[in-house]
Amino acid sequence: MKKIIIANWKMNPASAKEAENILNGIKKTAVKLKKTQAVICPPFIYFENSRKIIGETANLFLGAQNSFWQNEGAFTGETSPEMIKNSGGSYVILGHSERRALGETDEMVARKTSFCLKMGLKTVVCVGEKVRDEQGDYLVFLRDELRASLNKIQKKFLKNLIIAYEPIWAIGKKDADAMPPSDIHGTAIYIKKILSEIYGRENASSAPILYGGSAGKENAGEIIKNGGVDGLLVGHQSLNPEIFSEMLISAENI
Ligand code: PGA
């Protein structure tokens, strides 16, 4: 399985010109990738231009940071999976903690997840605890969040499901503040176990697990190598093309 490194630009950068510069910088490295897939998730307003820059680059893909659970209708401000696909997007991030903090519920994430999978998008569902307590309550939280966010998926669409484990306490910090790879490894195994409980071992074992939360050039290689994950979801450091390119190279060299 190819490594998957996703750039989640969030609500950045401020201009189309900057977006273009960042993506052009990343593309210089992405054209050389063989064992790694790079996915760029810009704000929707930069989608069309990003699609043009990406062109036919084999291992560089376009993704959305959110989607609605229907394809058309009176839903002001929303964007549908069909629009994402028609605009060149093949990935979508759903249930990011920053969206959940704005009021997105597990139920909404579940509806979006099942519909985006049905529409054939590679669907990245984010889960992660706010705090890591000594008693292990975070494990219960993770299990419940996973179950609730995935509860509407039909088995036959599972092949496009990707889980991004993003402990909220580790997001937006320095490389040294990311979760240690050994802890990531333990959690990745736990997530696989929950997926197997829900869907059966054969169906669930193929779902890639990504890590997100202060992933950067200092820790990217180590997290993938020793964290038992298939890739990374990268926030603020994906806005720096040099840093993100180094992360892609680290993944490629494993
Ligand atoms: P970060 O964000 O890399 O800035 O920690 C990751 C994310 O929120 O997806």
Side-chain angles (χ1 to χ4, degrees):
M1 185 197 294
K2 286 190 187 179
K3 304 280 177 295
I4 305 167
I5 312 290
I6 303 181
N8 175 14
W9 286 359
K10 309 191 178 183
M11 200 173 71
N12 300 293
S15 72
K17 188 73 210 154
E18 285 169 88
E20 196 175 313
N21 290 341
I22 298 167
L23 185 49
N24 275 321
I26 293 171
K27 188 181 168 182
K28 280 192 200 132
T29 303
V31 291
K32 299 179 208 146
L33 297 174
K34 298 210 159 43
K35 298 185 291 180
T36 310
Q37 298 191 331
V39 184
I40 309 300
C41 300
F44 281 127
I45 203 157
Y46 305 140
F47 230 65
E48 198 52 39
N49 206 25
S50 301
R51 168 199 212 165
K52 286 190 192 130
I53 296 171
I54 289 172
E56 299 296 309
T57 316
N59 284 307
L60 186 56
F61 300 89
L62 188 60
Q65 298 174 19
N66 184 29
S67 168
F68 196 58
W69 58 73
Q70 287 188 40
N71 269 337
E72 57 195 359
F75 303 105
T76 303
E78 296 293 344
T79 305
S80 75
E82 192 164 41
M83 292 170 186
I84 294 168
K85 282 176 68 176
N86 288 341
S87 303
S90 48
Y91 281 75
V92 62
I93 299 170
L94 296 176
H96 190 281
S97 57
E98 286 152 13
R99 294 204 55 81
R100 291 180 188 264
L102 289 171
E104 194 160 300
T105 61
D106 287 342
E107 166 73 19
M108 290 160 80
V109 177
R111 290 177 79 175
K112 292 176 176 196
T113 301
S114 89
F115 195 61
C116 285
L117 283 171
K118 204 165 166 183
M119 287 299 298
L121 286 170
K122 293 205 181 288
T123 302
V124 182
V125 178
C126 301
V127 293
E129 76 278 0
K130 284 200 188 73
V131 286
R132 223 165 222 240
D133 57 299
E134 298 272 308
Q135 301 76 31
D137 286 350
Y138 69 92
L139 293 170
V140 177
F141 174 87
L142 261 182
R143 184 198 62 202
D144 292 349
E145 192 176 46
L146 267 168
R147 282 183 177 276
S149 305
L150 305 179
N151 78 354
K152 295 188 170 23
I153 307 177
Q154 290 173 261
K155 259 191 198 161
K156 63 177 172 190
F157 298 125
L158 271 176
K159 67 174 193 318
N160 279 329
L161 177 69
I162 298 168
I163 303 294
Y165 170 57
E166 298 208 303
I168 297 173
W169 51 267
I171 291 178
K173 301 193 173 147
K174 296 201 218 53
D175 294 18
D177 300 315
M179 185 183 245
S182 53
D183 290 351
I184 294 174
H185 198 176
T187 313
I189 291 171
Y190 179 71
I191 290 173
K192 285 199 172 130
K193 179 174 168 278
I194 305 293
L195 293 178
S196 305
E197 277 170 20
I198 309 176
Y199 297 109
R201 182 171 284 194
E202 279 132 70
N203 300 309
S205 60
S206 61
I209 315 273
L210 312 183
Y211 168 80
S214 302
K217 64 176 178 174
E218 308 296 337
N219 57 26
E222 210 202 327
I223 289 175
I224 299 171
K225 214 182 324 166
N226 300 324
V229 287
D230 305 290
L232 302 167
L233 180 51
V234 188
H236 65 287
Q237 309 239 45
S238 68
L239 291 158
N240 180 321
E242 285 81 32
I243 292 179
F244 192 69
S245 294
E246 281 195 45
M247 297 174 77
L248 292 175
I249 292 164
S250 299
E252 185 74 0
N253 288 340
I254 286 167

